[in-house]
PDB file of all heavy atoms in Angstrom:
ATOM      1  N   GLU A  11      -3.613  -3.828 -11.614  1.00 92.00           N
ATOM      2  CA  GLU A  11      -4.521  -4.989 -11.652  1.00 92.00           C
ATOM      3  C   GLU A  11      -4.014  -6.164 -10.825  1.00 92.00           C
ATOM      4  O   GLU A  11      -4.786  -7.013 -10.395  1.00 92.00           O
ATOM      5  CB  GLU A  11      -4.734  -5.445 -13.108  1.00 92.00           C
ATOM      6  CG  GLU A  11      -5.654  -4.547 -13.926  1.00 92.00           C
ATOM      7  CD  GLU A  11      -4.957  -3.272 -14.403  1.00 92.00           C
ATOM      8  OE1 GLU A  11      -3.730  -3.145 -14.165  1.00 92.00           O
ATOM      9  OE2 GLU A  11      -5.630  -2.411 -14.986  1.00 92.00           O
ATOM     10  N   ALA A  12      -2.703  -6.220 -10.580  1.00 93.00           N
ATOM     11  CA  ALA A  12      -2.117  -7.321  -9.794  1.00 93.00           C
ATOM     12  C   ALA A  12      -1.952  -6.947  -8.323  1.00 93.00           C
ATOM     13  O   ALA A  12      -1.274  -7.653  -7.572  1.00 93.00           O
ATOM     14  CB  ALA A  12      -0.770  -7.716 -10.395  1.00 93.00           C
ATOM     15  N   ASP A  13      -2.545  -5.840  -7.903  1.00 94.00           N
ATOM     16  CA  ASP A  13      -2.454  -5.328  -6.523  1.00 94.00           C
ATOM     17  C   ASP A  13      -1.039  -4.904  -6.136  1.00 94.00           C
ATOM     18  O   ASP A  13      -0.711  -4.812  -4.946  1.00 94.00           O
ATOM     19  CB  ASP A  13      -3.010  -6.334  -5.504  1.00 94.00           C
ATOM     20  CG  ASP A  13      -4.536  -6.249  -5.404  1.00 94.00           C
ATOM     21  OD1 ASP A  13      -5.111  -5.295  -5.956  1.00 94.00           O
ATOM     22  OD2 ASP A  13      -5.140  -7.129  -4.764  1.00 94.00           O
ATOM     23  N   VAL A  14      -0.199  -4.654  -7.135  1.00 96.00           N
ATOM     24  CA  VAL A  14       1.101  -4.027  -6.850  1.00 96.00           C
ATOM     25  C   VAL A  14       0.859  -2.536  -6.602  1.00 96.00           C
ATOM     26  O   VAL A  14       0.151  -1.873  -7.365  1.00 96.00           O
ATOM     27  CB  VAL A  14       2.082  -4.227  -8.026  1.00 96.00           C
ATOM     28  CG1 VAL A  14       3.375  -3.448  -7.786  1.00 96.00           C
ATOM     29  CG2 VAL A  14       2.383  -5.708  -8.203  1.00 96.00           C
ATOM     30  N   ILE A  15       1.426  -2.030  -5.515  1.00 96.00           N
ATOM     31  CA  ILE A  15       1.182  -0.640  -5.125  1.00 96.00           C
ATOM     32  C   ILE A  15       2.054   0.283  -5.985  1.00 96.00           C
ATOM     33  O   ILE A  15       3.287   0.146  -6.008  1.00 96.00           O
ATOM     34  CB  ILE A  15       1.489  -0.429  -3.631  1.00 96.00           C
ATOM     35  CG1 ILE A  15       0.608  -1.352  -2.773  1.00 96.00           C
ATOM     36  CG2 ILE A  15       1.266   1.032  -3.230  1.00 96.00           C
ATOM     37  CD1 ILE A  15       1.022  -1.436  -1.311  1.00 96.00           C
ATOM     38  N   THR A  16       1.401   1.209  -6.686  1.00 95.00           N
ATOM     39  CA  THR A  16       2.141   2.148  -7.537  1.00 95.00           C
ATOM     40  C   THR A  16       2.312   3.510  -6.882  1.00 95.00           C
ATOM     41  O   THR A  16       3.179   4.281  -7.275  1.00 95.00           O
ATOM     42  CB  THR A  16       1.410   2.330  -8.888  1.00 95.00           C
ATOM     43  OG1 THR A  16       0.059   2.756  -8.633  1.00 95.00           O
ATOM     44  CG2 THR A  16       1.375   1.014  -9.653  1.00 95.00           C
ATOM     45  N   ALA A  17       1.490   3.797  -5.885  1.00 93.00           N
ATOM     46  CA  ALA A  17       1.617   5.059  -5.143  1.00 93.00           C
ATOM     47  C   ALA A  17       0.971   4.908  -3.777  1.00 93.00           C
ATOM     48  O   ALA A  17      -0.016   4.178  -3.622  1.00 93.00           O
ATOM     49  CB  ALA A  17       0.965   6.213  -5.906  1.00 93.00           C
ATOM     50  N   PHE A  18       1.564   5.580  -2.788  1.00 91.00           N
ATOM     51  CA  PHE A  18       1.004   5.591  -1.435  1.00 91.00           C
ATOM     52  C   PHE A  18       0.687   7.045  -1.100  1.00 91.00           C
ATOM     53  O   PHE A  18       1.569   7.891  -1.082  1.00 91.00           O
ATOM     54  CB  PHE A  18       2.018   5.016  -0.447  1.00 91.00           C
ATOM     55  CG  PHE A  18       1.536   5.005   0.981  1.00 91.00           C
ATOM     56  CD1 PHE A  18       0.874   3.907   1.497  1.00 91.00           C
ATOM     57  CD2 PHE A  18       1.747   6.091   1.812  1.00 91.00           C
ATOM     58  CE1 PHE A  18       0.435   3.895   2.810  1.00 91.00           C
ATOM     59  CE2 PHE A  18       1.303   6.088   3.130  1.00 91.00           C
ATOM     60  CZ  PHE A  18       0.649   4.983   3.629  1.00 91.00           C
ATOM     61  N   VAL A  19      -0.596   7.337  -0.864  1.00 87.00           N
ATOM     62  CA  VAL A  19      -1.020   8.722  -0.652  1.00 87.00           C
ATOM     63  C   VAL A  19      -1.605   8.851   0.756  1.00 87.00           C
ATOM     64  O   VAL A  19      -2.535   8.124   1.123  1.00 87.00           O
ATOM     65  CB  VAL A  19      -2.099   9.138  -1.686  1.00 87.00           C
ATOM     66  CG1 VAL A  19      -2.244  10.645  -1.712  1.00 87.00           C
ATOM     67  CG2 VAL A  19      -1.766   8.616  -3.072  1.00 87.00           C
ATOM     68  N   GLU A  20      -1.060   9.751   1.552  1.00 82.00           N
ATOM     69  CA  GLU A  20      -1.524   9.935   2.929  1.00 82.00           C
ATOM     70  C   GLU A  20      -2.690  10.915   2.977  1.00 82.00           C
ATOM     71  O   GLU A  20      -2.563  12.063   2.575  1.00 82.00           O
ATOM     72  CB  GLU A  20      -0.361  10.452   3.799  1.00 82.00           C
ATOM     73  CG  GLU A  20      -0.633  10.424   5.296  1.00 82.00           C
ATOM     74  CD  GLU A  20      -0.709   9.019   5.871  1.00 82.00           C
ATOM     75  OE1 GLU A  20       0.177   8.209   5.587  1.00 82.00           O
ATOM     76  OE2 GLU A  20      -1.684   8.744   6.587  1.00 82.00           O
ATOM     77  N   LYS A  21      -3.848  10.445   3.439  1.00 82.00           N
ATOM     78  CA  LYS A  21      -5.060  11.253   3.632  1.00 82.00           C
ATOM     79  C   LYS A  21      -5.377  12.144   2.421  1.00 82.00           C
ATOM     80  O   LYS A  21      -5.402  13.374   2.516  1.00 82.00           O
ATOM     81  CB  LYS A  21      -4.926  12.097   4.905  1.00 82.00           C
ATOM     82  CG  LYS A  21      -4.805  11.239   6.155  1.00 82.00           C
ATOM     83  CD  LYS A  21      -4.729  12.045   7.433  1.00 82.00           C
ATOM     84  CE  LYS A  21      -4.637  11.109   8.631  1.00 82.00           C
ATOM     85  NZ  LYS A  21      -4.476  11.803   9.914  1.00 82.00           N
ATOM     86  N   PRO A  22      -5.614  11.536   1.252  1.00 86.00           N
ATOM     87  CA  PRO A  22      -5.857  12.319   0.036  1.00 86.00           C
ATOM     88  C   PRO A  22      -7.272  12.910   0.001  1.00 86.00           C
ATOM     89  O   PRO A  22      -8.208  12.334   0.545  1.00 86.00           O
ATOM     90  CB  PRO A  22      -5.688  11.279  -1.075  1.00 86.00           C
ATOM     91  CG  PRO A  22      -6.101   9.995  -0.429  1.00 86.00           C
ATOM     92  CD  PRO A  22      -5.698  10.086   1.015  1.00 86.00           C
ATOM     93  N   LYS A  23      -7.401  14.071  -0.634  1.00 88.00           N
ATOM     94  CA  LYS A  23      -8.732  14.672  -0.806  1.00 88.00           C
ATOM     95  C   LYS A  23      -9.548  13.890  -1.846  1.00 88.00           C
ATOM     96  O   LYS A  23     -10.773  13.817  -1.756  1.00 88.00           O
ATOM     97  CB  LYS A  23      -8.593  16.133  -1.246  1.00 88.00           C
ATOM     98  CG  LYS A  23      -8.094  17.075  -0.160  1.00 88.00           C
ATOM     99  CD  LYS A  23      -8.232  18.526  -0.611  1.00 88.00           C
ATOM    100  CE  LYS A  23      -7.904  19.499   0.517  1.00 88.00           C
ATOM    101  NZ  LYS A  23      -6.482  19.578   0.813  1.00 88.00           N
ATOM    102  N   ASP A  24      -8.848  13.312  -2.847  1.00 90.00           N
ATOM    103  CA  ASP A  24      -9.515  12.545  -3.900  1.00 90.00           C
ATOM    104  C   ASP A  24      -8.846  11.165  -3.996  1.00 90.00           C
ATOM    105  O   ASP A  24      -7.958  10.951  -4.823  1.00 90.00           O
ATOM    106  CB  ASP A  24      -9.412  13.294  -5.237  1.00 90.00           C
ATOM    107  CG  ASP A  24     -10.196  12.591  -6.344  1.00 90.00           C
ATOM    108  OD1 ASP A  24     -11.170  11.883  -6.016  1.00 90.00           O
ATOM    109  OD2 ASP A  24      -9.825  12.752  -7.523  1.00 90.00           O
ATOM    110  N   PRO A  25      -9.257  10.208  -3.146  1.00 90.00           N
ATOM    111  CA  PRO A  25      -8.562   8.925  -3.073  1.00 90.00           C
ATOM    112  C   PRO A  25      -8.610   8.153  -4.392  1.00 90.00           C
ATOM    113  O   PRO A  25      -9.645   8.136  -5.067  1.00 90.00           O
ATOM    114  CB  PRO A  25      -9.334   8.160  -1.981  1.00 90.00           C
ATOM    115  CG  PRO A  25     -10.055   9.209  -1.203  1.00 90.00           C
ATOM    116  CD  PRO A  25     -10.374  10.290  -2.184  1.00 90.00           C
ATOM    117  N   PRO A  26      -7.491   7.512  -4.772  1.00 91.00           N
ATOM    118  CA  PRO A  26      -7.487   6.703  -5.998  1.00 91.00           C
ATOM    119  C   PRO A  26      -8.317   5.432  -5.814  1.00 91.00           C
ATOM    120  O   PRO A  26      -8.301   4.818  -4.742  1.00 91.00           O
ATOM    121  CB  PRO A  26      -6.002   6.361  -6.194  1.00 91.00           C
ATOM    122  CG  PRO A  26      -5.390   6.500  -4.832  1.00 91.00           C
ATOM    123  CD  PRO A  26      -6.166   7.555  -4.122  1.00 91.00           C
ATOM    124  N   ALA A  27      -9.049   5.036  -6.848  1.00 91.00           N
ATOM    125  CA  ALA A  27      -9.920   3.861  -6.783  1.00 91.00           C
ATOM    126  C   ALA A  27      -9.146   2.602  -7.167  1.00 91.00           C
ATOM    127  O   ALA A  27      -8.068   2.657  -7.766  1.00 91.00           O
ATOM    128  CB  ALA A  27     -11.113   4.052  -7.714  1.00 91.00           C
ATOM    129  N   ILE A  28      -9.725   1.452  -6.821  1.00 93.00           N
ATOM    130  CA  ILE A  28      -9.182   0.162  -7.246  1.00 93.00           C
ATOM    131  C   ILE A  28      -9.534  -0.045  -8.720  1.00 93.00           C
ATOM    132  O   ILE A  28     -10.659   0.257  -9.138  1.00 93.00           O
ATOM    133  CB  ILE A  28      -9.797  -0.976  -6.400  1.00 93.00           C
ATOM    134  CG1 ILE A  28      -9.487  -0.769  -4.919  1.00 93.00           C
ATOM    135  CG2 ILE A  28      -9.320  -2.340  -6.864  1.00 93.00           C
ATOM    136  CD1 ILE A  28     -10.206  -1.742  -3.998  1.00 93.00           C
ATOM    137  N   PRO A  29      -8.594  -0.545  -9.543  1.00 92.00           N
ATOM    138  CA  PRO A  29      -8.916  -0.819 -10.952  1.00 92.00           C
ATOM    139  C   PRO A  29     -10.142  -1.730 -11.069  1.00 92.00           C
ATOM    140  O   PRO A  29     -10.204  -2.786 -10.438  1.00 92.00           O
ATOM    141  CB  PRO A  29      -7.651  -1.520 -11.466  1.00 92.00           C
ATOM    142  CG  PRO A  29      -6.556  -1.025 -10.581  1.00 92.00           C
ATOM    143  CD  PRO A  29      -7.180  -0.820  -9.244  1.00 92.00           C
ATOM    144  N   GLY A  30     -11.121  -1.287 -11.850  1.00 90.00           N
ATOM    145  CA  GLY A  30     -12.344  -2.052 -12.044  1.00 90.00           C
ATOM    146  C   GLY A  30     -13.396  -1.839 -10.981  1.00 90.00           C
ATOM    147  O   GLY A  30     -14.517  -2.331 -11.092  1.00 90.00           O
ATOM    148  N   GLN A  31     -13.043  -1.105  -9.913  1.00 91.00           N
ATOM    149  CA  GLN A  31     -14.008  -0.791  -8.846  1.00 91.00           C
ATOM    150  C   GLN A  31     -13.922   0.708  -8.534  1.00 91.00           C
ATOM    151  O   GLN A  31     -13.261   1.117  -7.588  1.00 91.00           O
ATOM    152  CB  GLN A  31     -13.722  -1.606  -7.583  1.00 91.00           C
ATOM    153  CG  GLN A  31     -13.914  -3.112  -7.742  1.00 91.00           C
ATOM    154  CD  GLN A  31     -13.528  -3.869  -6.489  1.00 91.00           C
ATOM    155  OE1 GLN A  31     -12.374  -4.246  -6.301  1.00 91.00           O
ATOM    156  NE2 GLN A  31     -14.493  -4.086  -5.607  1.00 91.00           N
ATOM    157  N   PRO A  32     -14.579   1.533  -9.334  1.00 91.00           N
ATOM    158  CA  PRO A  32     -14.394   2.984  -9.244  1.00 91.00           C
ATOM    159  C   PRO A  32     -14.867   3.604  -7.932  1.00 91.00           C
ATOM    160  O   PRO A  32     -14.470   4.723  -7.599  1.00 91.00           O
ATOM    161  CB  PRO A  32     -15.226   3.519 -10.421  1.00 91.00           C
ATOM    162  CG  PRO A  32     -16.196   2.420 -10.752  1.00 91.00           C
ATOM    163  CD  PRO A  32     -15.500   1.150 -10.420  1.00 91.00           C
ATOM    164  N   ASP A  33     -15.686   2.893  -7.151  1.00 93.00           N
ATOM    165  CA  ASP A  33     -16.212   3.458  -5.905  1.00 93.00           C
ATOM    166  C   ASP A  33     -15.516   2.916  -4.660  1.00 93.00           C
ATOM    167  O   ASP A  33     -15.945   3.179  -3.535  1.00 93.00           O
ATOM    168  CB  ASP A  33     -17.724   3.188  -5.796  1.00 93.00           C
ATOM    169  CG  ASP A  33     -18.501   3.863  -6.916  1.00 93.00           C
ATOM    170  OD1 ASP A  33     -18.092   4.964  -7.335  1.00 93.00           O
ATOM    171  OD2 ASP A  33     -19.503   3.272  -7.380  1.00 93.00           O
ATOM    172  N   VAL A  34     -14.444   2.133  -4.859  1.00 94.00           N
ATOM    173  CA  VAL A  34     -13.766   1.492  -3.728  1.00 94.00           C
ATOM    174  C   VAL A  34     -12.284   1.868  -3.733  1.00 94.00           C
ATOM    175  O   VAL A  34     -11.649   1.922  -4.789  1.00 94.00           O
ATOM    176  CB  VAL A  34     -13.915  -0.048  -3.796  1.00 94.00           C
ATOM    177  CG1 VAL A  34     -13.253  -0.714  -2.587  1.00 94.00           C
ATOM    178  CG2 VAL A  34     -15.387  -0.437  -3.864  1.00 94.00           C
ATOM    179  N   ALA A  35     -11.753   2.141  -2.530  1.00 94.00           N
ATOM    180  CA  ALA A  35     -10.326   2.436  -2.386  1.00 94.00           C
ATOM    181  C   ALA A  35      -9.706   1.459  -1.390  1.00 94.00           C
ATOM    182  O   ALA A  35     -10.409   0.830  -0.582  1.00 94.00           O
ATOM    183  CB  ALA A  35     -10.127   3.872  -1.920  1.00 94.00           C
ATOM    184  N   LEU A  36      -8.378   1.322  -1.457  1.00 95.00           N
ATOM    185  CA  LEU A  36      -7.654   0.464  -0.517  1.00 95.00           C
ATOM    186  C   LEU A  36      -6.968   1.339   0.538  1.00 95.00           C
ATOM    187  O   LEU A  36      -6.082   2.132   0.217  1.00 95.00           O
ATOM    188  CB  LEU A  36      -6.606  -0.374  -1.251  1.00 95.00           C
ATOM    189  CG  LEU A  36      -7.103  -1.569  -2.060  1.00 95.00           C
ATOM    190  CD1 LEU A  36      -5.923  -2.279  -2.715  1.00 95.00           C
ATOM    191  CD2 LEU A  36      -7.878  -2.548  -1.184  1.00 95.00           C
ATOM    192  N   ALA A  37      -7.381   1.185   1.794  1.00 94.00           N
ATOM    193  CA  ALA A  37      -6.823   1.972   2.889  1.00 94.00           C
ATOM    194  C   ALA A  37      -5.877   1.106   3.716  1.00 94.00           C
ATOM    195  O   ALA A  37      -6.167  -0.062   4.003  1.00 94.00           O
ATOM    196  CB  ALA A  37      -7.947   2.509   3.773  1.00 94.00           C
ATOM    197  N   SER A  38      -4.755   1.679   4.117  1.00 93.00           N
ATOM    198  CA  SER A  38      -3.764   0.935   4.889  1.00 93.00           C
ATOM    199  C   SER A  38      -4.285   0.611   6.292  1.00 93.00           C
ATOM    200  O   SER A  38      -4.877   1.450   6.961  1.00 93.00           O
ATOM    201  CB  SER A  38      -2.469   1.735   5.006  1.00 93.00           C
ATOM    202  OG  SER A  38      -1.574   1.110   5.913  1.00 93.00           O
ATOM    203  N   MET A  39      -4.042  -0.629   6.744  1.00 93.00           N
ATOM    204  CA  MET A  39      -4.421  -1.059   8.094  1.00 93.00           C
ATOM    205  C   MET A  39      -3.272  -0.898   9.077  1.00 93.00           C
ATOM    206  O   MET A  39      -3.418  -1.199  10.268  1.00 93.00           O
ATOM    207  CB  MET A  39      -4.838  -2.535   8.080  1.00 93.00           C
ATOM    208  CG  MET A  39      -5.995  -2.868   7.169  1.00 93.00           C
ATOM    209  SD  MET A  39      -6.197  -4.661   6.990  1.00 93.00           S
ATOM    210  CE  MET A  39      -6.752  -5.137   8.623  1.00 93.00           C
ATOM    211  N   GLY A  40      -2.115  -0.461   8.610  1.00 91.00           N
ATOM    212  CA  GLY A  40      -0.957  -0.388   9.489  1.00 91.00           C
ATOM    213  C   GLY A  40      -0.361  -1.755   9.790  1.00 91.00           C
ATOM    214  O   GLY A  40       0.268  -1.960  10.831  1.00 91.00           O
ATOM    215  N   ILE A  41      -0.556  -2.714   8.862  1.00 95.00           N
ATOM    216  CA  ILE A  41       0.005  -4.066   8.990  1.00 95.00           C
ATOM    217  C   ILE A  41       0.974  -4.283   7.832  1.00 95.00           C
ATOM    218  O   ILE A  41       0.599  -4.100   6.675  1.00 95.00           O
ATOM    219  CB  ILE A  41      -1.098  -5.140   8.952  1.00 95.00           C
ATOM    220  CG1 ILE A  41      -2.081  -4.938  10.099  1.00 95.00           C
ATOM    221  CG2 ILE A  41      -0.507  -6.545   8.996  1.00 95.00           C
ATOM    222  CD1 ILE A  41      -3.271  -5.887  10.051  1.00 95.00           C
ATOM    223  N   TYR A  42       2.212  -4.664   8.159  1.00 96.00           N
ATOM    224  CA  TYR A  42       3.240  -4.816   7.123  1.00 96.00           C
ATOM    225  C   TYR A  42       3.991  -6.128   7.325  1.00 96.00           C
ATOM    226  O   TYR A  42       4.314  -6.500   8.461  1.00 96.00           O
ATOM    227  CB  TYR A  42       4.255  -3.660   7.185  1.00 96.00           C
ATOM    228  CG  TYR A  42       3.628  -2.297   7.280  1.00 96.00           C
ATOM    229  CD1 TYR A  42       3.691  -1.557   8.465  1.00 96.00           C
ATOM    230  CD2 TYR A  42       2.949  -1.728   6.203  1.00 96.00           C
ATOM    231  CE1 TYR A  42       3.112  -0.292   8.569  1.00 96.00           C
ATOM    232  CE2 TYR A  42       2.358  -0.475   6.295  1.00 96.00           C
ATOM    233  CZ  TYR A  42       2.448   0.237   7.480  1.00 96.00           C
ATOM    234  OH  TYR A  42       1.868   1.477   7.584  1.00 96.00           O
ATOM    235  N   VAL A  43       4.296  -6.814   6.212  1.00 97.00           N
ATOM    236  CA  VAL A  43       5.120  -8.022   6.251  1.00 97.00           C
ATOM    237  C   VAL A  43       6.393  -7.772   5.452  1.00 97.00           C
ATOM    238  O   VAL A  43       6.336  -7.284   4.310  1.00 97.00           O
ATOM    239  CB  VAL A  43       4.360  -9.239   5.680  1.00 97.00           C
ATOM    240  CG1 VAL A  43       5.290 -10.439   5.542  1.00 97.00           C
ATOM    241  CG2 VAL A  43       3.181  -9.605   6.572  1.00 97.00           C
ATOM    242  N   PHE A  44       7.534  -8.097   6.061  1.00 97.00           N
ATOM    243  CA  PHE A  44       8.851  -7.957   5.418  1.00 97.00           C
ATOM    244  C   PHE A  44       9.653  -9.243   5.644  1.00 97.00           C
ATOM    245  O   PHE A  44       9.443  -9.943   6.643  1.00 97.00           O
ATOM    246  CB  PHE A  44       9.690  -6.843   6.065  1.00 97.00           C
ATOM    247  CG  PHE A  44       9.117  -5.466   6.039  1.00 97.00           C
ATOM    248  CD1 PHE A  44       8.261  -5.029   7.046  1.00 97.00           C
ATOM    249  CD2 PHE A  44       9.482  -4.562   5.050  1.00 97.00           C
ATOM    250  CE1 PHE A  44       7.767  -3.735   7.056  1.00 97.00           C
ATOM    251  CE2 PHE A  44       9.003  -3.267   5.056  1.00 97.00           C
ATOM    252  CZ  PHE A  44       8.139  -2.853   6.056  1.00 97.00           C
ATOM    253  N   ARG A  45      10.615  -9.492   4.758  1.00 96.00           N
ATOM    254  CA  ARG A  45      11.718 -10.371   5.136  1.00 96.00           C
ATOM    255  C   ARG A  45      12.562  -9.586   6.141  1.00 96.00           C
ATOM    256  O   ARG A  45      12.837  -8.402   5.941  1.00 96.00           O
ATOM    257  CB  ARG A  45      12.579 -10.741   3.925  1.00 96.00           C
ATOM    258  CG  ARG A  45      12.075 -11.943   3.176  1.00 96.00           C
ATOM    259  CD  ARG A  45      13.098 -12.451   2.167  1.00 96.00           C
ATOM    260  NE  ARG A  45      12.558 -13.586   1.437  1.00 96.00           N
ATOM    261  CZ  ARG A  45      12.634 -14.845   1.831  1.00 96.00           C
ATOM    262  NH1 ARG A  45      13.273 -15.135   2.949  1.00 96.00           N
ATOM    263  NH2 ARG A  45      12.106 -15.810   1.113  1.00 96.00           N
ATOM    264  N   THR A  46      12.981 -10.243   7.201  1.00 97.00           N
ATOM    265  CA  THR A  46      13.664  -9.532   8.290  1.00 97.00           C
ATOM    266  C   THR A  46      14.921  -8.826   7.796  1.00 97.00           C
ATOM    267  O   THR A  46      15.174  -7.660   8.146  1.00 97.00           O
ATOM    268  CB  THR A  46      14.023 -10.520   9.420  1.00 97.00           C
ATOM    269  OG1 THR A  46      12.844 -11.224   9.807  1.00 97.00           O
ATOM    270  CG2 THR A  46      14.590  -9.783  10.619  1.00 97.00           C
ATOM    271  N   ARG A  47      15.697  -9.507   6.964  1.00 97.00           N
ATOM    272  CA  ARG A  47      16.958  -8.909   6.506  1.00 97.00           C
ATOM    273  C   ARG A  47      16.695  -7.629   5.710  1.00 97.00           C
ATOM    274  O   ARG A  47      17.381  -6.623   5.883  1.00 97.00           O
ATOM    275  CB  ARG A  47      17.729  -9.930   5.652  1.00 97.00           C
ATOM    276  CG  ARG A  47      19.180  -9.499   5.357  1.00 97.00           C
ATOM    277  CD  ARG A  47      19.960 -10.576   4.620  1.00 97.00           C
ATOM    278  NE  ARG A  47      20.027 -11.808   5.385  1.00 97.00           N
ATOM    279  CZ  ARG A  47      19.580 -12.980   4.932  1.00 97.00           C
ATOM    280  NH1 ARG A  47      19.025 -13.071   3.739  1.00 97.00           N
ATOM    281  NH2 ARG A  47      19.689 -14.065   5.663  1.00 97.00           N
ATOM    282  N   PHE A  48      15.676  -7.662   4.854  1.00 97.00           N
ATOM    283  CA  PHE A  48      15.330  -6.482   4.055  1.00 97.00           C
ATOM    284  C   PHE A  48      14.837  -5.347   4.957  1.00 97.00           C
ATOM    285  O   PHE A  48      15.203  -4.184   4.768  1.00 97.00           O
ATOM    286  CB  PHE A  48      14.253  -6.843   3.021  1.00 97.00           C
ATOM    287  CG  PHE A  48      13.778  -5.670   2.207  1.00 97.00           C
ATOM    288  CD1 PHE A  48      14.516  -5.222   1.114  1.00 97.00           C
ATOM    289  CD2 PHE A  48      12.608  -4.995   2.545  1.00 97.00           C
ATOM    290  CE1 PHE A  48      14.087  -4.125   0.370  1.00 97.00           C
ATOM    291  CE2 PHE A  48      12.178  -3.900   1.801  1.00 97.00           C
ATOM    292  CZ  PHE A  48      12.926  -3.467   0.713  1.00 97.00           C
ATOM    293  N   LEU A  49      14.011  -5.672   5.951  1.00 97.00           N
ATOM    294  CA  LEU A  49      13.498  -4.648   6.866  1.00 97.00           C
ATOM    295  C   LEU A  49      14.644  -3.955   7.601  1.00 97.00           C
ATOM    296  O   LEU A  49      14.665  -2.717   7.706  1.00 97.00           O
ATOM    297  CB  LEU A  49      12.537  -5.286   7.870  1.00 97.00           C
ATOM    298  CG  LEU A  49      12.063  -4.372   9.014  1.00 97.00           C
ATOM    299  CD1 LEU A  49      11.310  -3.163   8.479  1.00 97.00           C
ATOM    300  CD2 LEU A  49      11.209  -5.144  10.010  1.00 97.00           C
ATOM    301  N   ILE A  50      15.594  -4.738   8.083  1.00 96.00           N
ATOM    302  CA  ILE A  50      16.709  -4.150   8.837  1.00 96.00           C
ATOM    303  C   ILE A  50      17.529  -3.223   7.941  1.00 96.00           C
ATOM    304  O   ILE A  50      17.938  -2.130   8.359  1.00 96.00           O
ATOM    305  CB  ILE A  50      17.569  -5.271   9.458  1.00 96.00           C
ATOM    306  CG1 ILE A  50      16.778  -5.948  10.587  1.00 96.00           C
ATOM    307  CG2 ILE A  50      18.901  -4.721   9.975  1.00 96.00           C
ATOM    308  CD1 ILE A  50      17.427  -7.191  11.155  1.00 96.00           C
ATOM    309  N   GLU A  51      17.741  -3.631   6.685  1.00 96.00           N
ATOM    310  CA  GLU A  51      18.450  -2.748   5.738  1.00 96.00           C
ATOM    311  C   GLU A  51      17.707  -1.429   5.570  1.00 96.00           C
ATOM    312  O   GLU A  51      18.322  -0.344   5.572  1.00 96.00           O
ATOM    313  CB  GLU A  51      18.574  -3.445   4.369  1.00 96.00           C
ATOM    314  CG  GLU A  51      19.550  -4.600   4.334  1.00 96.00           C
ATOM    315  CD  GLU A  51      19.435  -5.377   3.023  1.00 96.00           C
ATOM    316  OE1 GLU A  51      18.634  -4.956   2.142  1.00 96.00           O
ATOM    317  OE2 GLU A  51      20.130  -6.413   2.871  1.00 96.00           O
ATOM    318  N   GLN A  52      16.389  -1.496   5.436  1.00 96.00           N
ATOM    319  CA  GLN A  52      15.583  -0.280   5.245  1.00 96.00           C
ATOM    320  C   GLN A  52      15.597   0.601   6.493  1.00 96.00           C
ATOM    321  O   GLN A  52      15.625   1.834   6.392  1.00 96.00           O
ATOM    322  CB  GLN A  52      14.139  -0.658   4.881  1.00 96.00           C
ATOM    323  CG  GLN A  52      13.989  -1.282   3.514  1.00 96.00           C
ATOM    324  CD  GLN A  52      14.508  -0.365   2.415  1.00 96.00           C
ATOM    325  OE1 GLN A  52      14.169   0.812   2.346  1.00 96.00           O
ATOM    326  NE2 GLN A  52      15.356  -0.914   1.553  1.00 96.00           N
TER     327      GLN A  52
END
């Protein structure tokens, strides 16, 4: 409910819906924000 990602599924046959919106899913745009230090560690 807080938009915290609990799972990332690549090209799923049955995409998970947004809580409270059963017909809508969140698809990745390929845009990511990191703190630089954390990104470099990863």
Side-chain angles (χ1 to χ4, degrees):
E11 285 78 5
D13 278 349
V14 174
I15 301 168
T16 56
F18 179 91
V19 196
E20 191 69 48
K21 297 182 179 176
K23 288 190 173 73
D24 185 26
I28 300 172
Q31 295 176 272
D33 297 326
V34 182
L36 284 180
S38 172
M39 301 169 69
I41 300 175
Y42 312 109
V43 172
F44 300 87
R45 273 192 182 273
T46 307
R47 191 175 300 122
F48 177 81
L49 172 61
I50 290 172
E51 289 170 3
Q52 291 302 310

